[in-house]
Amino acid sequence: MYKSFLQTFCQRKKWPLPVYSATKGGPDHLPHFLATVTVNGTSFASEVAAKSAKEAHNEAARVAFVQLGSTDVVLNSSHGAVSDEGLQTINGNPQPSGSAEIPKDMQHLCKNQLQIYAQKRGLPLPLYSHERDGPPHAVRFKSTVTIEGKTYTGDGFFPTLKDAENSAAKAALASLLPSGSGEEEMGYKNLLQEFAQKKCFLLPIYVTTRAGEVHAPTFISTVEVNQQVFTGQEARTKKLAEMSAAKTAYTHLKEGKLQHLYLYLYIYSFLFG
């Protein structure tokens, strides 16, 4: 995520793209990584060790983005909000300007969900097609997906095929899944488990309670992650209730990371703006 933010920042400044390097330490069975990123001649180092070079790069990008972004952030005293000409805010959280991009950790969710939808109904797998735009060095993609004989188009152009296909899959799911069906929750249990493993938390623990009549039961689940308990919405089955709880937990935990960024920007703008 932060690598994307930093790249957007550099492009807006017309600077060269960031250059990353990483060093490996620790035993072979339990390695850790530290990284640096050089932006416009200045190097920034990751502040914590990571389990992979990719995560270390992202941490270094976070450090650089927070420090460099502070010089451009302007405090809007009339609203108490932070703004930046290269960022837009969504629910108070900074995001890159331009076309909305699917968060990196969610990139596979929409395509997987659409594939699950097709498999459950015995349908042919979704078929994707693509449209290219822009010069060879900055090509962008727009995708459509065909399922059940209908074609759905993604929301605009994206820098990668993966993002474009997920946008098309998201458009298809929005049309195919009835509101409140619960199927849109699928995939969040896996995402929450991956998140817990990356953070070295204990695996999520689910507790589900049943209520209602025998012929029409309802279920509500809670999930505990890192000593925090999250409650999902009422659902028709235990499986859907657990998925809802996982979505609540995952969304909350990921938004918490963005809130930290927002807080950093606010503090920097207050001190140095």
Side-chain angles (χ1 to χ4, degrees):
M1 178 181 66
Y2 288 101
K3 290 184 69 175
S4 177
F5 282 7
L6 186 60
Q7 181 171 315
T8 300
F9 181 89
C10 290
Q11 289 172 335
R12 181 170 58 83
K13 289 287 190 180
K14 294 181 171 54
W15 291 348
L17 292 181
V19 178
Y20 295 87
S21 63
T23 57
K24 179 181 177 181
D28 289 339
H29 68 280
L30 193 63
H32 62 263
F33 297 83
L34 293 171
T36 60
V37 58
T38 301
V39 183
N40 199 36
T42 303
S43 294
F44 303 87
S46 56
E47 297 177 345
V48 296
K51 293 186 295 183
S52 70
K54 181 179 179 180
E55 291 181 8
H57 287 172
N58 192 63
E59 169 62 10
R62 182 192 68 80
V63 174
F65 179 78
V66 170
Q67 294 190 32
L68 291 171
S70 67
T71 62
D72 281 0
V73 174
V74 178
L75 182 63
N76 185 332
S77 59
S78 62
H79 295 90
V82 176
S83 63
D84 181 279
E85 63 177 344
L87 298 175
Q88 58 179 337
T89 57
I90 300 176
N91 296 328
N93 296 322
Q95 301 289 336
S97 61
S99 300
E101 295 187 15
I102 300 168
K104 295 298 181 183
D105 55 348
M106 296 285 284
Q107 283 185 343
H108 63 286
L109 183 60
C110 292
K111 285 189 68 176
N112 280 3
Q113 172 61 23
L114 188 60
Q115 183 169 320
I116 291 171
Y117 175 93
Q119 290 172 332
K120 286 178 64 177
R121 291 159 177 79
L123 301 171
L125 292 181
L127 180 63
Y128 294 87
S129 59
H130 313 99
E131 177 184 348
R132 294 170 177 257
D133 186 44
H137 66 279
V139 65
R140 296 176 67 83
F141 304 90
K142 184 176 184 178
S143 289
T144 61
V145 60
T146 300
I147 183 171
E148 288 189 286
K150 296 182 179 179
T151 299
Y152 304 89
T153 303
D155 182 21
F157 286 85
F158 294 84
T160 68
L161 276 174
K162 182 180 289 187
D163 287 346
E165 289 179 350
N166 274 280
S167 179
K170 182 178 179 180
L173 289 170
S175 176
L176 294 170
L177 293 181
S179 178
S181 68
E183 289 191 63
E184 63 273 17
E185 313 295 322
M186 296 186 68
Y188 278 97
K189 288 187 71 174
N190 287 340
L191 285 175
L192 184 61
Q193 181 170 316
E194 291 173 3
F195 180 88
Q197 290 172 332
K198 287 181 179 179
K199 294 296 183 180
C200 297
F201 298 158
L202 294 176
L203 292 181
I205 299 175
Y206 295 87
V207 176
T208 303
T209 57
R210 174 174 174 166
E213 303 295 332
V214 176
H215 64 282
T218 58
F219 299 84
I220 295 180
S221 287
T222 61
V223 59
E224 181 178 348
V225 185
N226 195 35
Q227 299 182 336
Q228 297 183 71
V229 178
F230 304 91
T231 303
Q233 296 182 350
E234 188 178 89
R236 303 188 310 273
T237 67
K238 178 182 177 181
K239 182 178 181 180
L240 291 177
E242 289 182 350
M243 290 176 181
S244 178
K247 180 180 181 181
T248 299
Y250 181 81
T251 303
H252 177 87
L253 292 169
K254 296 301 291 185
E255 285 182 349
K257 293 179 68 177
L258 283 174
Q259 290 294 343
H260 290 158
L261 171 62
Y262 181 73
L263 179 60
Y264 280 133
L265 294 174
Y266 185 91
I267 293 172
Y268 269 91
S269 65
F270 182 78
L271 294 176
F272 306 111

mmCIF file of all heavy atoms in Angstrom, residues 88-95 251 255 258-259 262:
data_model
loop_
_atom_site.group_PDB
_atom_site.id
_atom_site.type_symbol
_atom_site.label_atom_id
_atom_site.label_comp_id
_atom_site.label_asym_id
_atom_site.label_seq_id
_atom_site.Cartn_x
_atom_site.Cartn_y
_atom_site.Cartn_z
ATOM 1 N N GLN A 88 -6.443 12.318 -1.801
ATOM 2 C CA GLN A 88 -7.831 12.580 -1.504
ATOM 3 C C GLN A 88 -8.162 11.808 -0.233
ATOM 4 O O GLN A 88 -7.452 10.892 0.147
ATOM 5 C CB GLN A 88 -8.736 12.097 -2.648
ATOM 6 C CG GLN A 88 -8.593 10.625 -2.974
ATOM 7 C CD GLN A 88 -9.520 10.229 -4.092
ATOM 8 O OE1 GLN A 88 -10.516 10.884 -4.334
ATOM 9 N NE2 GLN A 88 -9.195 9.158 -4.773
ATOM 10 N N THR A 89 -9.206 12.202 0.488
ATOM 11 C CA THR A 89 -9.553 11.497 1.706
ATOM 12 C C THR A 89 -10.845 10.737 1.513
ATOM 13 O O THR A 89 -11.798 11.219 0.902
ATOM 14 C CB THR A 89 -9.727 12.472 2.886
ATOM 15 O OG1 THR A 89 -10.724 13.440 2.534
ATOM 16 C CG2 THR A 89 -8.424 13.196 3.186
ATOM 17 N N ILE A 90 -10.847 9.507 2.026
ATOM 18 C CA ILE A 90 -12.038 8.665 2.007
ATOM 19 C C ILE A 90 -12.296 8.256 3.442
ATOM 20 O O ILE A 90 -11.495 7.558 4.058
ATOM 21 C CB ILE A 90 -11.845 7.425 1.121
ATOM 22 C CG1 ILE A 90 -11.546 7.860 -0.317
ATOM 23 C CG2 ILE A 90 -13.058 6.534 1.161
ATOM 24 C CD1 ILE A 90 -11.255 6.716 -1.256
ATOM 25 N N ASN A 91 -13.437 8.703 4.007
ATOM 26 C CA ASN A 91 -13.743 8.443 5.408
ATOM 27 C C ASN A 91 -12.598 8.915 6.315
ATOM 28 O O ASN A 91 -12.261 8.282 7.300
ATOM 29 C CB ASN A 91 -13.999 6.948 5.638
ATOM 30 C CG ASN A 91 -15.212 6.456 4.894
ATOM 31 O OD1 ASN A 91 -16.161 7.203 4.704
ATOM 32 N ND2 ASN A 91 -15.190 5.199 4.476
ATOM 33 N N GLY A 92 -11.998 10.053 5.922
ATOM 34 C CA GLY A 92 -10.940 10.609 6.748
ATOM 35 C C GLY A 92 -9.585 9.985 6.543
ATOM 36 O O GLY A 92 -8.632 10.335 7.218
ATOM 37 N N ASN A 93 -9.468 9.040 5.613
ATOM 38 C CA ASN A 93 -8.201 8.359 5.400
ATOM 39 C C ASN A 93 -7.560 8.800 4.095
ATOM 40 O O ASN A 93 -8.225 8.807 3.067
ATOM 41 C CB ASN A 93 -8.415 6.841 5.353
ATOM 42 C CG ASN A 93 -8.919 6.315 6.682
ATOM 43 O OD1 ASN A 93 -8.493 6.783 7.735
ATOM 44 N ND2 ASN A 93 -9.823 5.358 6.640
ATOM 45 N N PRO A 94 -6.263 9.149 4.104
ATOM 46 C CA PRO A 94 -5.605 9.587 2.865
ATOM 47 C C PRO A 94 -5.539 8.465 1.846
ATOM 48 O O PRO A 94 -5.277 7.326 2.179
ATOM 49 C CB PRO A 94 -4.196 9.966 3.353
ATOM 50 C CG PRO A 94 -4.306 10.125 4.829
ATOM 51 C CD PRO A 94 -5.389 9.199 5.258
ATOM 52 N N GLN A 95 -5.774 8.816 0.575
ATOM 53 C CA GLN A 95 -5.693 7.865 -0.521
ATOM 54 C C GLN A 95 -5.009 8.543 -1.696
ATOM 55 O O GLN A 95 -5.033 9.763 -1.819
ATOM 56 C CB GLN A 95 -7.104 7.432 -0.961
ATOM 57 C CG GLN A 95 -7.931 6.792 0.136
ATOM 58 C CD GLN A 95 -7.427 5.408 0.492
ATOM 59 O OE1 GLN A 95 -6.786 4.773 -0.324
ATOM 60 N NE2 GLN A 95 -7.712 4.968 1.690
ATOM 61 N N THR A 251 -11.752 -5.420 8.438
ATOM 62 C CA THR A 251 -11.945 -4.022 8.045
ATOM 63 C C THR A 251 -11.462 -3.078 9.138
ATOM 64 O O THR A 251 -10.773 -2.092 8.880
ATOM 65 C CB THR A 251 -13.420 -3.758 7.718
ATOM 66 O OG1 THR A 251 -13.853 -4.642 6.686
ATOM 67 C CG2 THR A 251 -13.624 -2.314 7.280
ATOM 68 N N GLU A 255 -8.248 -0.604 8.690
ATOM 69 C CA GLU A 255 -8.510 0.830 8.766
ATOM 70 C C GLU A 255 -7.692 1.461 9.875
ATOM 71 O O GLU A 255 -7.291 2.620 9.784
ATOM 72 C CB GLU A 255 -9.999 1.095 8.990
ATOM 73 C CG GLU A 255 -10.851 0.872 7.748
ATOM 74 C CD GLU A 255 -12.307 1.185 7.975
ATOM 75 O OE1 GLU A 255 -12.691 1.377 9.150
ATOM 76 O OE2 GLU A 255 -13.069 1.237 6.994
ATOM 77 N N LEU A 258 -4.488 2.738 8.500
ATOM 78 C CA LEU A 258 -4.616 4.009 7.791
ATOM 79 C C LEU A 258 -4.819 5.168 8.761
ATOM 80 O O LEU A 258 -4.369 6.280 8.520
ATOM 81 C CB LEU A 258 -5.786 3.929 6.803
ATOM 82 C CG LEU A 258 -5.502 3.159 5.517
ATOM 83 C CD1 LEU A 258 -6.778 3.036 4.696
ATOM 84 C CD2 LEU A 258 -4.424 3.822 4.699
ATOM 85 N N GLN A 259 -5.521 4.892 9.873
ATOM 86 C CA GLN A 259 -5.715 5.942 10.860
ATOM 87 C C GLN A 259 -4.369 6.386 11.441
ATOM 88 O O GLN A 259 -4.176 7.550 11.761
ATOM 89 C CB GLN A 259 -6.644 5.445 11.982
ATOM 90 C CG GLN A 259 -8.096 5.269 11.548
ATOM 91 C CD GLN A 259 -8.751 6.603 11.200
ATOM 92 O OE1 GLN A 259 -8.242 7.659 11.573
ATOM 93 N NE2 GLN A 259 -9.860 6.551 10.494
ATOM 94 N N TYR A 262 -2.953 8.806 9.045
ATOM 95 C CA TYR A 262 -3.666 10.076 9.159
ATOM 96 C C TYR A 262 -3.165 10.861 10.374
ATOM 97 O O TYR A 262 -2.942 12.071 10.316
ATOM 98 C CB TYR A 262 -5.161 9.786 9.282
ATOM 99 C CG TYR A 262 -6.029 11.016 9.380
ATOM 100 C CD1 TYR A 262 -6.251 11.825 8.273
ATOM 101 C CD2 TYR A 262 -6.627 11.367 10.590
ATOM 102 C CE1 TYR A 262 -7.043 12.950 8.360
ATOM 103 C CE2 TYR A 262 -7.427 12.493 10.680
ATOM 104 C CZ TYR A 262 -7.636 13.278 9.565
ATOM 105 O OH TYR A 262 -8.418 14.375 9.668
#
